[in-house]
Every structure is written in C-alpha cells, then in structure tokens.
Amino acid sequence: MNALPRLDFIWPQLLWLLLLLPLLVLLYVWLLHRRKKVTVRYANLALVREAIGRSAGWRRHLPPMLMGLALATLILASARPTALLSLPSQQETIILAMDVSGSMRANDVQPNRLVAAQEAAKAFIAALPRNVRVGVVQFAGTAAAVQLPTHSREDVVAAIDRFQLQRGTATGSGIVLSLATLFPEAGIDLSQITGQRAMPRAADASPSPDFVPVEPGSYGSAAIIMLTDGRATTGPDPLEASRMAAERGVRVYTVGIGTKEGETISFEGWSMRVQLDEESLKSIAQITHANYFYAGTAEDLKRVYESLSTRIALERKETEISALLAALGALLMLSAAGLSIWWFGRIA
C-alpha cells in the first residue's frame, strides 16, 4: 500500500492553534457535567427523562464532535499545507529528437534499431493526451525538423515513417534544433548545425545578451525526448547544447538504444564500430533535470516509452491543498449544524 502523502506547511506557526482543541473538549465535558447537576434539582425524574427525550445517547455528542473536527481541519487549512501529488501535466508540446545515423540499421535490436525506435515512438504518441502537440526532429550528420509541433497524430506518424538513414551523429544538433523548434521567436543561432564541422567552443552556443536563464527543469510546457544509439561524431558539443536547454528550463529525456558492448556494421561501403555513449546521455539528462533510460531490446524500448508517456500525462509536484482542507472543514461544520437541527430542532 502507498503511504499517505507527507504534509508540509507554508505557515507552520499557525499549527499552535490546535492546542485550543483540548481546551474546547474540556469545556464541553464541563458543560455536560454542569447540566447533570442542574437536572437533579427537578423533583419529578419523569419530567427529566421527557425533557431529555431522544437527545440522549451518542447522537447528543456527534454534532459537537463534527464541529471539533471542522475546527481542526480549518486550522490545518490556515497553515497552508502542501503535499507531493500526482497531477495532470501542464506540458503542451513534446519534441521527439530521433537518431537516423547509419548505426541505427544494426539488428541487435530486432528487427533493427531504427524500426524498433519508429514502432515504439508511434505507440508512445498514441498514448499521449490529445491536447499535447508533438514535433519531430531527426538528426544524423546534421539535424532537420521533419514535423513542426502539431495535434495531428497522423502527420507525426507519417514523418516518423519517412526517416532515411544518413552518415554521422550530431547529438548536439538534435538538441539545439529541438530548442529552436520549441522557441521559434527566441533567435537561437542555427548556423552551428547547418553543416559538418568540428565541435564548437562553449561561447558559440551562448544565448543572446538579452536572454535571462531560468531554473533547470522549470519550464513545464514542453519537453524533449531524444533517442540515439551512438556517440556524437560531429556538430555542437552535446553537453553545451544540453546547457542551452537547461538555461531555458527544458528537460531533455534521453533514451539509449542498442547493446552497451557495441557492434560492427557496414553502411554505404563503410565499416564502423557503433557503441552507446551512456555517460554523455546520462549527463545530458542530469544537466536538464530529466532522466536517462537504457533500452537494450525492442521490448525494453517499448517499456521505456510507456514510462515516458506516464511521466508526460502525470507529474508529481508540490501542491498547496489549503482550499481542499477548507472545503472539508466547511462540509463538516454544515454537517454538524444540519444534524443538530434535524435531531434536536436547534443548533446545540
């Protein structure tokens, strides 16, 4: 069984008011005792029983008990409690940045890495809430936005089906172009991803002078999911690109596909050793406050995307629940007053 969410309080000093509740209980007991003393003054006990009537027994105590619970709940609400809850995500846009380098033809993931990635991505898209827009960026030696963010699942699936294998792996280019797709008005410099060239210096990927960085992972309206099977061989430094994403608060979830040992494959007359660069992928996810996932088989990849779809649909975050407790307190108070009027004809 899951434990109840732990409560924290923004104004915990108000919890001292809970000490008043035992005093109210003592006051109630004293009033009951005083009433008994008054009733013994009646000469005719039959008149006493008739006066008490149906009000005797447990029903006499239930409205005061509900009123006490209401006061306790309202005091808790006044202290502004917060709890870590799973709530519908506010993310509106997802960018799938997918590797289409020649190494994706390796068949260590059946039927091969590219086909497995395509099928898993399409299943992931089908599971997303309909209000989430999805865009697709493919990257190999360079990167290209093959589908701008859209609500049309058919257009996204068609873009994924059109993938063509190419040479090179520019992981950093995939991240930078994904950011430019998310923020088309931000003036992100795309010159660094237009061709094959050496890794740029950190200054080449720096933001414009008027750009104000935000807390990493704080941008809740979008996320990037990047799938790749190899280390970067060209384009911008992936870690510098991930810092660009972190400065904009965008999380980059990384998925590594293929065997960790690597494999030798042939592509367009080239023979190459393809090996997963897990350390870089983990660093990208860590820098952007996201997560890294390893998928060694097609079934692993499917489970990864299922997990990601759950993360996108629901997110756990610290939420103030004062209004919820205030509503509960009001309901308890109305219940106490209603039962008292129903049973005794007055608010006792």
Side-chain angles (χ1 to χ4, degrees):
M1 296 178 62
N2 292 329
L4 292 175
R6 184 176 64 89
L7 292 182
D8 289 317
F9 296 90
I10 299 176
W11 294 342
Q13 59 272 21
L14 293 181
L15 294 176
W16 287 104
L17 293 174
L18 291 173
L19 294 178
L20 296 176
L21 296 178
L23 297 178
L24 292 176
V25 173
L26 292 175
L27 177 61
Y28 177 68
V29 172
W30 178 80
L31 288 174
L32 287 178
H33 183 68
R34 183 172 178 272
R35 178 178 295 183
K36 288 181 179 179
K37 283 186 175 181
V38 171
T39 56
V40 297
R41 298 176 184 174
Y42 286 90
N44 192 337
L45 293 179
L47 293 176
V48 175
R49 295 191 187 96
E50 184 179 351
I52 295 175
R54 295 184 178 181
S55 65
W58 60 271
R59 286 188 299 181
R60 179 192 305 177
H61 307 294
L62 183 58
M65 183 181 70
L66 291 176
M67 189 64 69
L69 288 174
L71 290 174
T73 305
L74 291 174
I75 291 172
L76 290 175
S78 68
R80 300 184 62 186
T82 63
L84 191 63
L85 302 176
S86 294
L87 299 173
S89 172
Q90 299 301 310
Q91 287 177 340
E92 300 172 353
T93 306
I94 301 297
I95 300 295
L96 293 177
M98 302 187 66
D99 189 345
V100 294
S101 61
S103 57
M104 290 290 285
R105 69 186 299 153
N107 58 11
D108 53 349
V109 177
Q110 296 295 322
N112 63 49
R113 295 177 182 178
L114 180 62
V115 173
Q118 288 172 311
E119 294 305 314
K122 287 186 282 188
F124 166 75
I125 292 165
L128 286 177
R130 297 299 298 182
N131 65 305
V132 177
R133 298 188 306 156
V134 182
V136 182
V137 168
Q138 67 173 34
F139 64 90
T142 58
V146 296
Q147 177 59 61
L148 295 178
T150 178
H151 289 109
S152 172
R153 301 299 189 247
E154 294 77 13
D155 290 347
V156 176
V157 169
I160 291 173
D161 285 336
R162 290 195 299 267
F163 284 164
Q164 296 292 326
L165 296 177
Q166 304 169 28
R167 293 181 182 176
T169 304
T171 308
S173 295
I175 297 174
V176 174
L177 187 56
S178 296
L179 290 173
T181 304
L182 286 174
F183 306 107
E185 306 299 327
I188 296 176
D189 181 15
L190 297 180
S191 63
Q192 57 184 296
I193 65 171
T194 57
Q196 312 267 351
R197 67 192 190 97
M199 299 289 184
R201 302 185 308 275
D204 296 333
S206 60
S208 57
D210 57 348
F211 172 75
V212 179
V214 299
E215 186 72 18
S218 62
Y219 187 70
S221 297
I224 299 170
I225 299 175
M226 186 178 68
L227 182 143
T228 182
D229 70 341
R231 65 181 68 248
T233 59
T234 187
D237 183 352
L239 298 186
E240 292 295 342
S242 65
R243 292 186 183 96
M244 290 179 63
E247 289 173 346
R248 289 162 174 81
V250 177
R251 287 184 170 92
V252 182
Y253 296 92
T254 54
V255 181
I257 183 173
T259 57
K260 296 181 180 180
E261 298 77 17
E263 184 175 336
T264 301
I265 64 170
S266 298
F267 178 63
E268 294 183 354
W270 291 68
S271 179
M272 53 185 171
R273 178 78 175 176
V274 292
Q275 191 171 6
L276 186 62
D277 185 5
E278 280 200 297
E279 292 306 313
S280 291
L281 296 181
K282 290 178 181 178
S283 296
I284 292 170
Q286 182 180 16
I287 289 170
T288 62
H289 288 203
N291 301 97
Y292 166 72
F293 303 88
Y294 170 67
T297 66
E299 197 60 35
D300 289 341
L301 185 58
K302 181 180 177 182
R303 283 194 291 267
V304 165
Y305 272 102
E306 287 175 351
S307 172
L308 281 168
S309 67
T310 302
R311 287 173 182 266
I312 298 303
L314 294 173
E315 61 181 356
R316 289 181 62 80
K317 59 182 180 180
E318 200 77 16
T319 306
E320 186 174 345
I321 58 173
S322 301
L324 181 62
L325 288 182
L328 178 59
L331 179 61
L332 289 170
M333 194 169 290
L334 289 173
S335 299
L339 290 175
S340 184
I341 293 173
W342 182 24
W343 287 337
F344 314 124
R346 67 186 189 279
I347 299 180

